[in-house]
């Protein structure tokens, strides 16, 4: 877990997680910009990333997924929906 996208990118490059949960509204660069940097890096380009956002009014699900996220979850998180999203994304990536 990190507080900034920049730190999250560095951590992903080092640890190669099976899945990344990325808030859209972050200090520094935003989650969409961070996703583009992750996708551009061969070390992190294939890691599935689920967008997590409280700003459902600012970004529609379709817009977020069109940016390249593998899944979308609004806050407050519904545990049942969240777990289904995680399962679906990991299954789609063979993890």
């Amino acid at each position: 877990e990190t507080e900034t996208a920049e730190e999250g990118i560095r951590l992903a490059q080092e640890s190669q997680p099976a899945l990344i949960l990325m808030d859209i509204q972050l200090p520094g660069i935003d989650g969409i910009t961070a996703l583009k940097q992750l996708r551009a890096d061969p070390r992190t380009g294939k890691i599935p990333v689920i967008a997590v956002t409280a700003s459902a009014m600012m970004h529609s699900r379709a817009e977020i997924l069109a940016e390249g996220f593998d899944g979308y979850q609004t806050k407050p998180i519904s545990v049942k929906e969240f777990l289904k999203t995680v399962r679906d994304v990991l299954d789609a990536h063979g993890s």
Side-chain angles (χ1 to χ4, degrees), residues 49-66:
V49 182
I50 296 175
V52 180
T53 184
S55 59
M57 295 300 196
M58 292 177 61
H59 303 284
S60 74
R61 177 182 173 83
E63 289 171 333
I64 294 294
L65 295 176

Side-chain angles (χ1 to χ4, degrees), residues 10-40:
R10 185 194 60 73
L11 186 61
Q13 291 166 336
E14 291 174 2
S15 64
Q16 299 290 302
L19 175 70
I20 296 172
L21 303 176
M22 176 83 70
D23 200 327
I24 300 299
Q25 301 297 322
L26 294 165
I29 64 171
D30 65 29
I32 293 169
T33 302
L35 176 71
K36 290 176 182 175
Q37 290 182 17
L38 288 167
R39 293 292 190 241

